[in-house]
Amino acid sequence: MPNPPHILVVDDHREIRDALAKYLGRNAMRATTAANAVAMDAALKAGRFDLIVLDVMMPGEDGLSVCRRLRANGTIPVLMLTALGDETDRIVGLEVGADDYLAKPFNPRELLARIKAILRRAGQAPSAGGTLAGRRLGFDRWVLDTDRRTLTGDDGAEVPLTSAEFRLLSALLERPRFVLSRSQLLDLTSGRAAQVFDRTIDNQISRLRRKIERDPAKPALIATHWGGGYALAADVRELQP
């Protein structure tokens, strides 16, 4: 039998850590707990994990800073736990590279479902790159290497992409000049349905535009279709590895 997924639960509330560890254990997963960023770092050095459940509000280094640091050093999936109603934390969490978020208090069954959805995406051969896996694609003045997850400009400089930005750009490159609604993009990149007033995709589009547009205030590559969604307004060409 394959090894069960190993989840690292990082939360300063012992009751939440212990309860989640027990629940995940009852649902065919292994769980290790950490009370803060220091304990998390020690756990990461000592073992291998498939996903991190990370609380935003922690003493010392907070979850947003931790997530940003994790993204700069690797691609381990992160599911963030945020305070109920704090939309800013949720948006910023996704922008710094979290794969999903869940507001406290939460239903453990929903947490488990989201963890499984993230693990399915992470375990797919394309690794969030869809049918673009193993390819180098050129568009406008950019080249995306889907295996290395690098975006390189015509000047040779690499532009770092968060996991969320990589998935969003991949979804657009797979369907050039095709209008994708916010709901479709959210489903393609996060595996979840959009909620009323969900601005996740809008914020991710804005961040991606700041990285690839010559003038983000007048975007030419990622076009907005009012009432419809977004589309890549450029041809995509296959390049040799």
Side-chain angles (χ1 to χ4, degrees):
M1 294 182 64
N3 292 327
H6 195 179
I7 311 300
L8 179 56
V9 179
V10 186
D11 196 301
D12 61 311
H13 291 90
R14 182 176 179 178
E15 296 82 1
I16 293 178
R17 295 197 309 270
D18 291 348
L20 284 181
K22 291 178 181 178
Y23 184 79
L24 293 173
R26 292 196 302 268
N27 286 273
M29 294 187 182
R30 296 171 58 203
T32 297
T33 63
N36 51 43
V38 174
M40 180 201 74
D41 289 339
L44 289 173
K45 288 180 181 179
R48 178 189 175 281
F49 297 90
D50 298 290
L51 181 143
I52 298 176
V53 176
L54 178 64
D55 187 31
V56 170
M57 297 299 294
M58 296 189 298
E61 186 179 11
D62 64 58
L64 295 175
S65 174
V66 169
C67 186
R68 187 179 292 107
R69 178 160 59 83
L70 289 169
R71 277 295 160 263
N73 298 313
T75 59
I76 184 170
V78 176
L79 190 158
M80 301 204 76
L81 302 178
T82 69
L84 179 62
D86 195 339
E87 189 69 20
T88 300
D89 278 350
R90 303 183 206 179
I91 293 172
V92 174
L94 290 168
E95 288 179 343
V96 299
D99 293 84
D100 203 351
Y101 64 80
L102 190 59
K104 293 181 177 180
F106 54 84
N107 186 319
R109 293 178 61 185
E110 182 177 1
L111 176 71
L112 181 64
R114 288 176 183 260
I115 288 175
K116 289 181 176 179
I118 295 172
L119 292 176
R120 281 197 301 271
R121 295 197 301 271
Q124 292 172 349
S127 186
T131 59
L132 304 185
R135 297 163 66 183
R136 292 179 70 247
L137 299 169
F139 65 103
D140 192 60
R141 58 195 177 96
W142 300 101
V143 174
L144 179 71
D145 186 317
T146 60
D147 274 356
R148 295 177 56 225
R149 294 194 176 198
T150 55
L151 182 66
T152 306
D154 55 10
D155 58 357
E158 288 189 2
V159 176
L161 295 175
T162 67
S163 293
E165 290 165 352
F166 172 78
R167 290 195 298 269
L168 178 58
L169 182 57
S170 294
L172 293 168
L173 287 174
E174 282 183 297
R175 306 159 183 85
R177 303 188 184 279
F178 184 84
V179 179
L180 293 165
S181 69
R182 292 175 179 85
S183 294
Q184 288 173 318
L185 285 170
L186 194 59
D187 182 60
L188 287 167
T189 59
S190 299
R192 63 185 179 86
Q195 300 175 358
V196 178
F197 305 125
D198 194 330
R199 311 304 291 181
T200 299
I201 290 298
D202 293 334
N203 283 281
Q204 291 178 2
I205 288 285
S206 294
R207 287 182 62 85
L208 189 56
R209 279 173 168 166
R210 288 199 290 271
K211 293 185 175 183
I212 70 173
E213 297 280 5
R214 295 181 187 275
D215 183 359
K218 299 178 180 179
L221 285 178
I222 302 178
T224 300
H225 293 261
W226 300 110
Y230 299 99
L232 182 76
D235 294 324
V236 178
R237 58 192 184 277
E238 187 90 28
L239 302 177
Q240 292 298 316

